[in-house]
């Protein structure tokens, strides 16, 4: 199964490897033509402002919106910011694919970047996992189904077709999140 990873900037290579680990065929996506060849898309972590500029440069904004109207998109960290309906701190454009308000760098200095233990991971199997947060956005509001939270804020949200995570599932060897996304693409 061909699953795209938006490869404009950020840690797309780690998602390519994570997709291979769950048996998918990952494809780097940089153009609208490449987007047309995949059945689902991951937008990785990185710097959302930079990715937004590159989306403009490569004329991908509208194709990505159209793709999300038909096929599953999974946004992680900066990717979650890009698929959100509302971005705060500061406000910026987004693809508006999911009902989600995020505040960029919302955990502040105390929690700049770290590995934290989450004890309620609603994905079946071991409910306690370590997750990686890197200058993560904080979820201020969501209309989706919350699958995991940290410090009372959602970190993994399921929207049926789409998914958003404020952490980096591609950086640990827990494959459950990528498997869940694959089941949506299928
Ligand atoms: N702080 C970044 C942003 O606002 C997101 C960080 C990440 O993706 N790890 O775009």
């Amino acid at each position: 199964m061909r699953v795209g990873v938006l490869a404009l900037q950020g840690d797309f290579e780690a998602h390519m490897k994570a997709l291979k680990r769950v048996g998918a065929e990952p494809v780097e996506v940089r153009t609208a033509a490449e987007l047309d060849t995949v059945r689902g898309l991951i937008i990785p972590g990185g710097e959302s402002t930079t990715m937004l500029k590159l989306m403009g440069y490569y004329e991908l904004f509208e194709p990505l919106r159209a793709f999300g109207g038909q096929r599953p998109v999974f946004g992680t960290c900066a990717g979650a910011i890009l698929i959100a309906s509302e971005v705060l701190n500061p406000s910026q454009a987004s693809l508006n694919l999911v009902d989600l308000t995020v505040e960029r760098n919302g955990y502040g200095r105390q929690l700049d970047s770290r590995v934290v233990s989450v004890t309620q991971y609603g994905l079946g199997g071991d409910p306690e996992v370590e997750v990686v947060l890197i200058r993560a956005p904080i979820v201020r509001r969501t209309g989706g189904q919350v699958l995991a939270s940290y410090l009372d804020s959602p970190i993994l949200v399921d929207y049926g077709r789409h998914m958003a995570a404020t952490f980096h599932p591609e950086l640990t060897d827990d494959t459950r999140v990528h498997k869940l996304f694959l089941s949506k693409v299928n």
Side-chain angles (χ1 to χ4, degrees), residues 16 19 29 60-61 73 88 96 102 106 116 146 152 157 165 169 174 185:
M16 300 283 294
L19 283 170
V29 169
L60 273 172
F61 197 86
V73 178
L88 309 172
N96 191 14
V102 282
V116 301
V146 177
D152 292 331
V157 188
D174 192 317
V185 178

Side-chain angles (χ1 to χ4, degrees), residues 54-85:
L54 292 170
M55 277 180 195
Y57 183 79
Y58 289 98
E59 296 181 349
L60 273 172
F61 197 86
E62 284 310 321
L64 285 168
R65 273 185 56 78
F67 183 88
Q70 308 271 330
R71 300 208 168 274
V73 178
F74 177 25
T76 61
C77 206
I81 297 172
L82 289 166
I83 66 171
S85 47

Side-chain angles (χ1 to χ4, degrees), residues 15-145:
H15 275 292
M16 300 283 294
K17 288 185 187 143
L19 283 170
K20 273 191 199 143
R21 285 200 290 271
V22 297
E25 184 191 335
V27 179
E28 291 184 6
V29 169
R30 294 186 184 80
T31 63
E34 285 164 348
L35 188 59
D36 269 346
T37 72
V38 297
R39 310 238 341 237
L41 182 76
I42 294 179
I43 304 184
E47 198 52 47
S48 57
T49 45
T50 307
M51 270 194 255
L52 207 52
K53 277 187 199 142
L54 292 170
M55 277 180 195
Y57 183 79
Y58 289 98
E59 296 181 349
L60 273 172
F61 197 86
E62 284 310 321
L64 285 168
R65 273 185 56 78
F67 183 88
Q70 308 271 330
R71 300 208 168 274
V73 178
F74 177 25
T76 61
C77 206
I81 297 172
L82 289 166
I83 66 171
S85 47
E86 186 184 23
V87 181
L88 309 172
N89 188 36
S91 104
Q92 73 184 23
S94 53
L95 295 164
N96 191 14
L97 296 181
V98 295
D99 184 11
L100 172 69
T101 300
V102 282
E103 180 182 330
R104 293 182 61 209
N105 305 307
Y107 289 97
R109 283 193 172 181
Q110 308 90 304
L111 196 77
D112 205 26
S113 300
R114 66 172 66 165
V115 177
V116 301
S117 207
V118 170
T119 50
Q120 301 229 308
Y121 206 53
L123 287 179
D126 190 347
E128 183 162 344
V129 284
E130 300 212 306
V131 305
V132 181
L133 293 163
I134 305 171
R135 289 170 50 76
I138 194 164
V139 171
R140 290 299 182 199
R141 192 197 54 80
T142 177
Q145 187 199 351

